[in-house]
Amino acid sequence: MRVLRRGDAGPDVAEIRSILAGMDLLPPVTGTDEEYGTFDVAVEHAVRAFQQRRGLMTDGIVGPATFQALKGASYHLGSRPLSYMIASPVHGDDVFTLQERLTELGFDAGRPDGYFGPATERALKTFQRDMRLTPDGMCGPATIRELHRLSSPRARGGRPVFLREQEQVRQAGPRLRGKRIVIDPGHGGDDLGVVAGGLREADIAWDLARRLEGRMKATGMEALISRGPNHSPTELERARFANDAGADLFLSLHSDGNRSTRAQGIASFHFGTGNGTTSTVGELLAGFIQREVAARTGMLDCRTHYKTWEIFTRTRCPAVRVEIGYLTNPDDARKLGDPAFRDIVAEGILIAVKRLYLLGEGDQPTGTFTFADVLAHELAKAE
């Protein structure tokens, strides 16, 4: 699909307006067909509201990710049959609701991501067998009736899939040796990312990834980089790389840019929908990274945020994306252009990962734990 923004017109814009009106983000259509198919200021504001609500990039532009989310939002559980399709997985709010409902009932549908994949199919078939329905993996009227029948008010516990994340971290122990981490330097190849002041985001991310990789390997961790220096995988390909590798954690490294040169600082992101569904380990790690790097570098702390980016929804392990500085800000750019500064950032991220696995054991104040402390701790635990 073409990217749609203010000033565009046509039937695809009319479809977007219809979906937004159905969510009460736009008033019902009363104008002419020409007005209905115009991407005006009201549509842009409605798109921004939708993006903010869904944890998407809030830019008021309808690109592939926003369009897919808009289409998915037009479905509710029961509005269409659902089944697993290998070539093109079914996606939408109805799938997300099904996944959450199955999980709440004790059937492991995996991370709720709105994609009808193998884990959802397995959970659905198990549910159907237990309910003495035909276990065909098709969520049709009979299955919907059983799900509604069991949806009476009930005490709800934690989110099992994310509780399992926490338990896996606890059982993994405080040592870093043997942990498998995928480091994902953003962009790459022909995709340079933000370019400003003689610096290119793809180059900064690649250099930082290599520095982090070296430190992680020195502790005994298995560090894997998701791309080569001249390759730019899609977000889905990066997620598949981590899934195929059986990664324990996924760290995506980026820098940012803005039309205003005053925009600056570091921000960290993790999976979350804003309605209580969040990766608890991802949120915890994002917080550790945010505090460690901000304390060590003096960069403005722009806090942690939940998002539903594809890199989060399609990665099975806890994942964090870090936006380290703005290349369009003179102070941030000066810092990022200094290799010694990138060493400090790499050490801060490593310390944050160590803190995650320490779970408070022998912890130290933010910004004081060093790489040497990590190596000493690893050695002590090995004895």
Side-chain angles (χ1 to χ4, degrees), residues 22 74 84 130 222 303 311 314 329 343:
S74 65
Y84 175 45
D130 287 359
E222 186 177 353
R303 298 173 289 119
I311 200 64
R314 307 309 293 273
N329 176 271
D343 278 336

Side-chain angles (χ1 to χ4, degrees), residues 314-336:
R314 307 309 293 273
T315 307
R316 288 196 290 266
C317 64
V320 171
R321 171 168 164 166
V322 193
E323 295 279 354
I324 306 158
Y326 283 74
L327 296 183
T328 48
N329 176 271
D331 189 44
D332 281 3
R334 177 183 56 78
K335 291 177 178 178
L336 286 165

